[in-house]
Amino acid sequence: MNKDELIDKITEQVMLKLNEKSGLQNLPNRENNQEKQNILPIPLAELAKYIDHTLLKPDSTEEQFDQLCKEALMYKFKSVCVNSSWVSYVSKKLRGSGILVCSVVGFPLGGMDSRSKAFETQNAIESGAKEIDMVINIGALKSGNLKLVEEDIRAVRRAARANTILKVIFETNLLTEKEKILACEISKKAGADFVKTSTGFSGGGATVEDIILMRRIVGPTMGVKASGGIKDYNTAVAMIKAGANRLGCGASVSIMTGATVLGDY
Amino acid sequence: MNKDELIDKITEQVMLKLNEKSGLQNLPNRENNQEKQNILPIPLAELAKYIDHTLLKPDSTEEQFDQLCKEALMYKFKSVCVNSSWVSYVSKKLRGSGILVCSVVGFPLGGMDSRSKAFETQNAIESGAKEIDMVINIGALKSGNLKLVEEDIRAVRRAARANTILKVIFETNLLTEKEKILACEISKKAGADFVKTSTGFSGGGATVEDIILMRRIVGPTMGVKASGGIKDYNTAVAMIKAGANRLGCGASVSIMTGATVLGDY
């Protein structure tokens, strides 16, 4: 265990102890939410554990990443999900909190060559990422070059550590049903941990139908992440009920507070 | 000079000799175009030399890249511009034609870390790219972290060869005038060859105003590439008259033939 991991581990333990004491006191409108939780199908504190709190817009500023981390700490989201140049920045902010850092790779087009996807993965992990959300080579899939699609995922899997969670983004709105099924099978075979619907940059997002399909194909042991266009509590719950066990959301705070939101991510 | 370069050089010379004989006979509707050229401000054969014939959509197939190369050969465009996973494929198709291969890097968000941008650059060049179109770290620029913006470009410049043309994409529709000026100054300082307006994936494209501004700031010795939303001959000419000396177009064939086109890239 190196110095950074040691610091992480100790701080995590301390934060855990502090959180046990404080309970949900950081949640805004606590009474309101507490009341809601009695009738909600999934309690908010539980829902937060599903959420990768996401900020991927190219013009996002330091200030917005500060806010992202602050919100992740406040609501205890599973992770923050960012572009690779921001991994180091948010990792420092979240050190020891238990909130993971997720880096996208080859994002959002998936058209980057495999070696570069592997390099970006390795670099993101060295900078603090514990999870990697890569985009498949969509054009290769559509060209029937399934070997390239598989090798592309394998290259990233090899570059990641054994305990790194690897999610594979399909961009479902660009795929036929047959292609979605193939992408599920290939991702599983290549050693990915999750299949994921969308980047949020292609004009489409997660649908209940796609989540049901993906869960059916990958089975119960693999993860399914719904992402793109999840902007309120009911949609989030619908995705989980359809089979998702992770959600990618830019509108995470709105989901937790019941506010409405416009725009993707 | 290695084997590949030797083959390129010889084939280029042979093609040049053949082209001298054939003239513009590959251009469709030749007589029509010939007639047009007498009244056009920029002859079509000259305009073609300005155009990076571009295919960057994530779901583009082998068949579409075959078509892209065929069109580039037919119209004698300056280059084809593709995502890095397709560089090797199109390089083989265009070997010895004199038509360059341009790879985008860190595309289209620019949020990829600098080391990965440098790696992708190096890898693209090894696969046959002679030109690199990188996206700046827009978020860093907006956060006032100009050092990172400059170092990011320098990292790619170092990874590229001395004779590799490096273009720096700003995504002008996301920037203020002040930020556009800063991006021009930094790109020039960091050793880029071109400044370029847009990715085509951010809802905005080249404007005459931006080209005039960018040309004014970088001066006459640096390149200015207009890209995004250039879909007809008149727009192409307007960009050149405003100061652009390179155009990025998916609709290149429509520009050459006068057809109308919908959609970006």
Side-chain angles (χ1 to χ4, degrees):
Chain A
M1 188 179 280
N2 67 26
K3 199 185 67 187
D4 279 356
E5 286 171 338
L6 194 68
I7 296 172
D8 278 4
K9 204 73 207 169
I10 294 170
T11 324
E12 195 178 320
Q13 289 301 320
V14 174
M15 291 301 288
L16 218 62
K17 292 288 170 201
L18 289 174
N19 286 339
E20 275 170 18
K21 282 192 199 163
S22 68
L24 280 169
Q25 73 188 16
N26 285 327
L27 213 56
N29 310 315
R30 191 194 166 201
E31 288 178 19
N32 222 339
N33 283 328
Q34 206 76 348
E35 199 176 299
K36 257 193 208 168
Q37 289 192 37
N38 297 332
I39 50 158
L40 291 177
I42 300 176
L44 288 170
E46 192 187 316
L47 184 64
K49 298 284 168 228
Y50 284 85
I51 293 177
D52 291 342
H53 191 34
T54 301
L55 184 60
L56 295 164
K57 285 193 298 287
D59 53 345
S60 308
T61 59
E62 276 183 18
E63 204 178 326
Q64 289 172 289
F65 287 101
D66 293 345
Q67 180 66 18
L68 184 82
C69 291
K70 208 169 131 188
E71 290 164 354
L73 289 165
M74 183 178 277
Y75 293 96
K76 306 190 202 326
F77 293 128
K78 178 73 178 180
S79 82
V80 300
C81 181
V82 299
N83 280 292
S84 58
S85 68
W86 293 96
V87 167
S88 174
Y89 187 82
V90 297
S91 290
K92 278 177 201 145
K93 299 232 163 239
L94 295 173
R95 169 158 296 166
S97 68
I99 293 158
L100 305 177
V101 174
C102 169
S103 178
V104 294
V105 159
F107 191 89
L109 302 180
M112 189 158 87
D113 68 279
S114 303
R115 286 179 64 200
S116 299
K117 285 183 187 175
F119 186 92
E120 190 181 15
T121 298
Q122 201 178 357
N123 206 43
I125 292 170
E126 280 167 19
S127 302
K130 304 289 184 198
E131 306 205 340
I132 297 292
D133 285 20
M134 70 171 285
V135 186
I136 58 163
N137 193 314
I138 302 163
L141 177 62
K142 293 213 160 265
S143 305
N145 192 347
L146 305 185
K147 194 165 162 249
L148 194 154
V149 177
E150 185 177 333
E151 279 308 314
D152 195 52
I153 302 171
R154 283 192 191 278
V156 173
R157 177 75 271 177
R158 277 194 301 273
R161 296 188 185 156
N163 64 348
T164 306
I165 296 290
L166 173 59
K167 314 192 197 93
V168 176
I169 310 172
F170 293 175
E171 206 69 293
T172 39
N173 72 309
L174 297 180
L175 304 187
T176 64
E177 179 164 323
K178 195 184 156 198
E179 288 162 349
K180 290 172 201 170
I181 292 170
L182 277 170
C184 282
E185 291 168 346
I186 294 169
S187 300
K188 193 172 184 177
K189 196 173 153 203
D193 300 297
F194 273 79
V195 290
K196 172 177 168 184
T197 58
S198 315
T199 65
F201 285 86
S202 194
T207 66
V208 163
E209 293 69 28
D210 280 339
I211 297 299
I212 290 171
L213 174 72
M214 289 161 78
R215 173 56 71 200
R216 180 165 66 77
I217 304 301
V218 302
T221 56
M222 203 172 166
V224 175
K225 176 171 170 181
S227 56
I230 305 172
K231 289 177 193 162
D232 57 55
Y233 177 86
N234 288 337
T235 309
V237 169
M239 294 298 162
I240 293 170
K241 289 198 178 299
N245 59 333
R246 193 72 74 85
L247 307 173
C249 315
S252 326
V253 172
S254 309
I255 290 170
M256 300 294 284
T257 59
T260 54
V261 69
L262 294 171
D264 279 334
Y265 277 145
Chain B
M1 190 181 276
N2 67 26
K3 198 186 67 183
D4 279 357
E5 284 172 340
L6 194 67
I7 296 173
D8 278 5
K9 204 72 206 167
I10 294 170
T11 323
E12 194 178 321
Q13 288 301 318
V14 175
M15 292 300 287
L16 217 63
K17 291 289 170 202
L18 289 173
N19 286 339
E20 276 169 16
K21 283 191 198 166
S22 68
L24 278 170
Q25 72 188 15
N26 285 327
L27 213 57
N29 309 316
R30 192 195 164 202
E31 289 180 17
N32 220 341
N33 282 326
Q34 207 74 350
E35 199 177 300
K36 254 193 208 166
Q37 289 191 36
N38 298 332
I39 51 160
L40 290 177
I42 300 177
L44 287 170
E46 191 188 316
L47 184 63
K49 299 283 168 228
Y50 284 86
I51 293 178
D52 291 341
H53 190 34
T54 301
L55 184 60
L56 295 164
K57 285 193 297 286
D59 54 345
S60 307
T61 60
E62 276 183 19
E63 205 178 324
Q64 290 171 288
F65 286 101
D66 293 346
Q67 180 65 20
L68 184 83
C69 291
K70 210 170 131 188
E71 290 164 354
L73 289 164
M74 182 178 276
Y75 292 97
K76 307 191 201 325
F77 293 128
K78 177 72 177 180
S79 82
V80 300
C81 180
V82 300
N83 280 292
S84 56
S85 68
W86 293 97
V87 168
S88 175
Y89 188 82
V90 297
S91 290
K92 278 176 201 146
K93 300 234 162 239
L94 295 173
R95 167 159 297 167
S97 67
I99 292 158
L100 306 177
V101 174
C102 168
S103 177
V104 294
V105 159
F107 190 88
L109 302 181
M112 189 158 89
D113 67 279
S114 303
R115 287 180 62 199
S116 299
K117 285 182 186 174
F119 186 92
E120 190 181 16
T121 297
Q122 200 177 357
N123 206 43
I125 292 170
E126 280 168 21
S127 301
K130 304 288 184 198
E131 305 206 339
I132 297 291
D133 286 20
M134 70 171 285
V135 187
I136 57 163
N137 194 315
I138 303 163
L141 177 61
K142 292 214 162 264
S143 305
N145 191 347
L146 306 184
K147 193 164 163 248
L148 194 154
V149 177
E150 185 177 333
E151 279 308 314
D152 194 52
I153 303 170
R154 284 192 190 278
V156 173
R157 179 72 273 178
R158 277 193 302 271
R161 296 188 185 153
N163 63 348
T164 305
I165 296 291
L166 173 59
K167 314 191 196 92
V168 177
I169 310 172
F170 294 174
E171 205 68 293
T172 39
N173 72 308
L174 297 181
L175 304 186
T176 63
E177 180 165 324
K178 193 184 158 198
E179 288 161 350
K180 291 172 201 171
I181 293 171
L182 276 170
C184 281
E185 291 168 347
I186 294 169
S187 300
K188 194 170 183 178
K189 195 172 155 203
D193 299 297
F194 274 79
V195 290
K196 172 177 168 183
T197 57
S198 314
T199 65
F201 285 86
S202 195
T207 65
V208 163
E209 293 69 28
D210 280 339
I211 297 298
I212 291 171
L213 174 72
M214 289 159 78
R215 174 55 71 201
R216 180 165 64 77
I217 304 301
V218 302
T221 56
M222 203 172 166
V224 175
K225 176 171 169 181
S227 57
I230 304 171
K231 290 177 192 161
D232 57 54
Y233 177 87
N234 287 337
T235 309
V237 169
M239 293 299 161
I240 293 170
K241 289 199 178 299
N245 58 333
R246 191 73 74 87
L247 307 173
C249 315
S252 326
V253 173
S254 309
I255 290 170
M256 298 295 284
T257 59
T260 55
V261 70
L262 294 169
D264 279 333
Y265 277 146

Short mmCIF file of all heavy atoms in Angstrom, two decimals, chain B residues 15 37 49 65 94 103 112 117 122 141 170 175 199 220-221 228 242 252-253:
data_model
loop_
_atom_site.label_atom_id
_atom_site.label_comp_id
_atom_site.label_asym_id
_atom_site.label_seq_id
_atom_site.Cartn_x
_atom_site.Cartn_y
_atom_site.Cartn_z
N MET B 15 1.37 9.28 -59.97
CA MET B 15 0.01 9.83 -59.99
C MET B 15 0.01 11.25 -60.56
O MET B 15 -0.88 11.63 -61.30
CB MET B 15 -0.59 9.85 -58.57
CG MET B 15 -0.87 8.50 -57.97
SD MET B 15 -2.04 7.49 -58.92
CE MET B 15 -3.58 8.34 -58.59
N GLN B 37 -16.73 27.47 -63.83
CA GLN B 37 -15.45 28.00 -63.41
C GLN B 37 -15.11 29.33 -64.05
O GLN B 37 -14.33 30.10 -63.51
CB GLN B 37 -14.34 26.98 -63.69
CG GLN B 37 -14.46 25.79 -62.75
CD GLN B 37 -13.24 24.90 -62.81
OE1 GLN B 37 -12.14 25.40 -62.98
NE2 GLN B 37 -13.43 23.61 -62.70
N LYS B 49 -8.35 22.13 -53.20
CA LYS B 49 -7.08 22.10 -52.47
C LYS B 49 -7.19 22.70 -51.07
O LYS B 49 -6.27 22.58 -50.26
CB LYS B 49 -6.00 22.87 -53.26
CG LYS B 49 -5.72 22.30 -54.63
CD LYS B 49 -4.86 21.04 -54.55
CE LYS B 49 -4.78 20.28 -55.84
NZ LYS B 49 -5.03 18.86 -55.69
N PHE B 65 -16.18 5.13 -45.26
CA PHE B 65 -14.78 5.57 -45.38
C PHE B 65 -14.23 5.25 -46.77
O PHE B 65 -13.44 6.03 -47.32
CB PHE B 65 -13.92 4.97 -44.27
CG PHE B 65 -14.18 5.61 -42.93
CD1 PHE B 65 -14.99 4.99 -41.99
CD2 PHE B 65 -13.66 6.86 -42.63
CE1 PHE B 65 -15.27 5.61 -40.76
CE2 PHE B 65 -13.93 7.48 -41.42
CZ PHE B 65 -14.74 6.84 -40.48
N LEU B 94 -5.26 5.64 -49.47
CA LEU B 94 -4.81 6.87 -50.13
C LEU B 94 -3.31 6.89 -50.42
O LEU B 94 -2.78 7.87 -50.95
CB LEU B 94 -5.18 8.08 -49.28
CG LEU B 94 -6.68 8.31 -49.11
CD1 LEU B 94 -6.95 9.43 -48.11
CD2 LEU B 94 -7.33 8.63 -50.46
N SER B 103 -5.82 13.34 -38.69
CA SER B 103 -6.51 12.70 -37.57
C SER B 103 -6.93 13.75 -36.55
O SER B 103 -6.15 14.64 -36.22
CB SER B 103 -5.57 11.70 -36.88
OG SER B 103 -6.21 11.13 -35.75
N MET B 112 -9.89 15.54 -22.78
CA MET B 112 -8.94 14.46 -22.54
C MET B 112 -7.65 15.07 -21.99
O MET B 112 -7.27 16.18 -22.36
CB MET B 112 -8.66 13.74 -23.87
CG MET B 112 -7.86 12.49 -23.73
SD MET B 112 -8.13 11.39 -25.17
CE MET B 112 -6.85 11.98 -26.27
N LYS B 117 -3.63 13.03 -25.18
CA LYS B 117 -3.67 13.73 -26.48
C LYS B 117 -2.35 13.53 -27.21
O LYS B 117 -2.32 13.30 -28.43
CB LYS B 117 -3.94 15.22 -26.29
CG LYS B 117 -5.38 15.58 -25.93
CD LYS B 117 -5.57 17.10 -25.81
CE LYS B 117 -6.97 17.44 -25.31
NZ LYS B 117 -7.14 18.89 -25.05
N GLN B 122 0.85 10.77 -31.52
CA GLN B 122 1.99 9.94 -31.91
C GLN B 122 1.51 8.69 -32.65
O GLN B 122 2.04 8.32 -33.70
CB GLN B 122 2.72 9.55 -30.64
CG GLN B 122 4.14 9.12 -30.83
CD GLN B 122 4.81 8.81 -29.48
OE1 GLN B 122 4.20 8.98 -28.41
NE2 GLN B 122 6.03 8.35 -29.53
N LEU B 141 -9.41 26.85 -20.40
CA LEU B 141 -9.42 28.22 -20.91
C LEU B 141 -10.45 29.06 -20.16
O LEU B 141 -10.19 30.17 -19.72
CB LEU B 141 -9.71 28.22 -22.42
CG LEU B 141 -9.83 29.57 -23.12
CD1 LEU B 141 -8.54 30.37 -23.04
CD2 LEU B 141 -10.22 29.40 -24.60
N PHE B 170 -10.81 25.44 -31.52
CA PHE B 170 -11.24 26.25 -30.36
C PHE B 170 -12.65 25.92 -29.89
O PHE B 170 -12.99 26.11 -28.74
CB PHE B 170 -11.26 27.73 -30.73
CG PHE B 170 -9.92 28.33 -31.02
CD1 PHE B 170 -9.84 29.65 -31.48
CD2 PHE B 170 -8.74 27.61 -30.83
CE1 PHE B 170 -8.61 30.22 -31.73
CE2 PHE B 170 -7.51 28.18 -31.09
CZ PHE B 170 -7.46 29.50 -31.56
N LEU B 175 -16.96 30.08 -26.97
CA LEU B 175 -16.01 31.05 -26.41
C LEU B 175 -16.48 32.49 -26.56
O LEU B 175 -17.21 32.83 -27.49
CB LEU B 175 -14.65 30.91 -27.11
CG LEU B 175 -13.97 29.54 -27.11
CD1 LEU B 175 -12.56 29.66 -27.71
CD2 LEU B 175 -13.89 28.96 -25.71
N THR B 199 -15.66 21.91 -34.05
CA THR B 199 -15.65 20.46 -34.22
C THR B 199 -16.82 19.97 -35.08
O THR B 199 -16.78 18.87 -35.61
CB THR B 199 -15.78 19.74 -32.87
OG1 THR B 199 -17.07 20.03 -32.29
CG2 THR B 199 -14.68 20.16 -31.90
N PRO B 220 -0.51 36.87 -40.95
CA PRO B 220 -0.54 36.22 -42.27
C PRO B 220 0.24 34.91 -42.34
O PRO B 220 0.06 34.13 -43.28
CB PRO B 220 0.10 37.27 -43.18
CG PRO B 220 0.99 38.06 -42.28
CD PRO B 220 0.38 38.04 -40.92
N THR B 221 1.12 34.64 -41.36
CA THR B 221 2.02 33.49 -41.52
C THR B 221 1.42 32.19 -40.98
O THR B 221 1.93 31.11 -41.28
CB THR B 221 3.35 33.73 -40.79
OG1 THR B 221 3.05 34.03 -39.42
CG2 THR B 221 4.11 34.87 -41.42
N GLY B 228 -17.29 23.38 -39.78
CA GLY B 228 -18.60 23.33 -39.14
C GLY B 228 -19.61 24.14 -39.92
O GLY B 228 -19.50 25.36 -40.02
N ALA B 242 -12.69 35.74 -46.19
CA ALA B 242 -12.56 36.32 -44.85
C ALA B 242 -11.18 36.05 -44.24
O ALA B 242 -10.80 36.67 -43.24
CB ALA B 242 -13.65 35.77 -43.94
N SER B 252 -18.31 18.28 -48.75
CA SER B 252 -17.36 18.71 -49.78
C SER B 252 -17.88 18.46 -51.20
O SER B 252 -17.72 19.30 -52.09
CB SER B 252 -16.04 17.98 -49.61
OG SER B 252 -15.76 17.74 -48.26
N VAL B 253 -18.50 17.29 -51.40
CA VAL B 253 -18.97 16.95 -52.74
C VAL B 253 -20.09 17.90 -53.16
O VAL B 253 -20.14 18.35 -54.31
CB VAL B 253 -19.41 15.47 -52.80
CG1 VAL B 253 -20.06 15.16 -54.14
CG2 VAL B 253 -18.22 14.56 -52.56
#
